[in-house]
């Protein structure tokens, strides 16, 4: 019998000049909350060789950044607003 183990990742922001933010992602069930409100992830997290890969665009945008793909440079640009 194989049991799924709950693995949660929590990202918090407590900057004095920004609104407090808490993002919690369960890497097994994909259950995600932002400031204790359930949200649906556009891209699920996954685990490869014991490393957790999280949806970078979702997290960046929640933190107030803009995310853009620059096709000519084949580069992802993440810019804090």
């Amino acid at each position: 019998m194989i049991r799924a183990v709950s693995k949660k990742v929590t990202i918090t922001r407590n900057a004095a000049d920004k609104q407090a933010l808490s993002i919690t992602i369960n890497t097994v069930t994909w259950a995600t909350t932002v400031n204790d409100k359930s949200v649906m992830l556009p891209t699920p997290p996954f685990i490869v060789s014991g490393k957790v890969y999280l949806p970078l665009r979702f997290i960046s945008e929640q933190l107030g950044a803009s995310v853009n793909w620059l096709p000519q440079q084949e580069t992802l640009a993440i810019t804090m607003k």
Side-chain angles (χ1 to χ4, degrees):
M1 179 177 186
I2 299 173
R3 282 191 198 182
V5 176
S6 177
K7 296 187 184 259
K8 292 184 181 180
V9 175
T10 301
I11 300 161
T12 57
R13 177 183 63 202
N14 293 317
D17 62 335
K18 302 275 186 182
Q19 180 180 359
L21 177 71
S22 176
I23 303 168
T24 302
I25 302 172
N26 183 310
T27 61
V28 176
T29 66
W30 308 350
T32 303
T33 61
V34 176
N35 291 340
D36 296 321
K37 293 182 183 178
S38 290
V39 297
M40 294 291 293
L41 287 176
T43 307
F46 57 95
I47 300 172
V48 175
S49 300
K51 295 180 182 175
V52 178
Y53 292 83
L54 300 172
L56 182 61
R57 176 180 292 273
F58 173 79
I59 293 168
S60 297
E61 289 176 347
Q62 291 299 312
L63 291 169
S66 61
V67 180
N68 296 295
W69 173 247
L70 307 174
Q72 291 183 340
Q73 294 93 347
E74 295 186 0
T75 302
L76 181 68
I78 301 173
T79 308
M80 291 304 292
K81 298 176 184 174

